[in-house]
């Protein structure tokens, strides 16, 4: 019985330790990498385990900055812009708006100002990037900028 219990404990430790190491290793992955889904799953888990709305909003905005960084890296390295990163960016931005909408009025006003400022910064980055992308990436950059402007209008109407 003791050896069975020991084996079970060792197996559980290796399983969770290995999973933690994989999630940690995935943090440096890009959209084209094998571990990218693990990275985004880890982000989703962290968001899901965060109960405070303001902390969730901060995390969602941090993750939108990561996606903008991934897009920036692709353009800087003359690589194709990943649709995975763009879709994830859109998803996180929508999530941030939903989180803000669940706050009470005072908190919501602060959150919307925070969102507006963040989205405006990201729009300026995308505007600069749009001049650097190859012709085939132009439609995707236009889509991103349109989506950003749409989200910005929602935030401003909320303010």
């Amino acid at each position: 019985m003791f050896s069975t219990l020991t084996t079970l404990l060792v197996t559980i430790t290796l399983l969770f330790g290995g999973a933690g190491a994989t999630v940690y290793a995935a943090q440096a992955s890009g959209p084209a990498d094998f571990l990218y889904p693990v990275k985004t799953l880890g982000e989703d888990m962290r968001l899901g385990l965060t109960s405070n709305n303001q902390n969730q909003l901060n995390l969602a905005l941090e993750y939108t900055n990561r996606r903008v960084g991934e897009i920036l890296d692709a353009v800087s390295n003359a690589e194709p812009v990943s649709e995975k990163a763009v879709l994830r960016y859109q998803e996180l931005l929508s999530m941030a708006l939903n989180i803000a909408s669940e706050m009470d009025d005072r908190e919501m006003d602060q959150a919307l100002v925070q969102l507006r400022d963040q989205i405006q910064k990201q729009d300026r980055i995308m505007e600069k990037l749009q001049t650097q992308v190859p012709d085939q990436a132009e439609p995707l950059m236009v889509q991103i900028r349109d989506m950003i402007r749409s989200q910005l209008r929602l935030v401003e109407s909320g303010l």
Side-chain angles (χ1 to χ4, degrees):
M1 170 133 170
F2 181 72
S3 66
T4 304
L5 183 59
T6 303
T7 303
L8 181 62
L9 286 174
V10 168
T11 303
I12 290 172
T13 302
L14 289 174
L15 178 66
F16 286 114
T22 303
V23 170
Y24 180 76
Q27 296 311 303
S29 66
D33 296 333
F34 179 73
L35 289 178
Y36 190 74
V38 175
K39 177 181 182 175
T40 58
L41 178 64
E43 291 173 353
D44 288 341
M45 289 175 58
R46 189 168 174 205
L47 277 165
L49 293 172
T50 303
S51 59
N52 177 289
N53 282 342
Q54 184 60 51
N55 291 341
Q56 280 184 324
L57 178 67
N58 292 342
L59 274 176
L61 291 176
E62 176 186 328
Y63 297 152
T64 63
N65 284 331
R66 286 184 186 179
R67 300 300 87 79
V68 169
E70 291 166 357
I71 294 167
L72 177 62
D73 287 347
V75 171
S76 298
N77 296 326
E79 296 172 355
V81 175
S82 167
E83 287 191 42
K84 285 181 190 177
V86 173
L87 291 173
R88 181 72 176 162
Y89 175 75
Q90 290 174 328
E91 177 184 308
L92 288 164
L93 210 49
S94 294
M95 184 183 302
L97 283 168
N98 286 335
I99 292 166
S101 73
E102 295 172 359
M103 296 177 169
D104 65 40
D105 289 343
R106 186 183 58 78
E107 290 175 326
M108 185 187 306
D109 287 341
Q110 292 173 346
L112 290 174
V113 168
Q114 182 182 3
L115 268 164
R116 181 193 62 203
D117 294 346
Q118 192 71 28
I119 294 170
Q120 286 174 339
K121 286 179 193 175
Q122 293 170 348
D123 187 43
R124 286 190 296 273
I125 291 168
M126 291 300 175
E127 183 178 22
K128 290 177 186 174
L129 282 179
Q130 194 165 354
T131 62
Q132 301 172 15
V133 297
D135 291 340
Q136 65 268 29
E138 182 74 25
L140 190 56
M141 293 305 290
V142 169
Q143 175 189 346
I144 294 169
R145 301 263 338 270
D146 287 346
M147 185 270 308
I148 287 173
R149 290 181 185 137
S150 172
Q151 299 290 21
L152 192 54
R153 282 191 298 275
L154 284 173
V155 169
E156 288 173 346
S157 70
L159 287 170

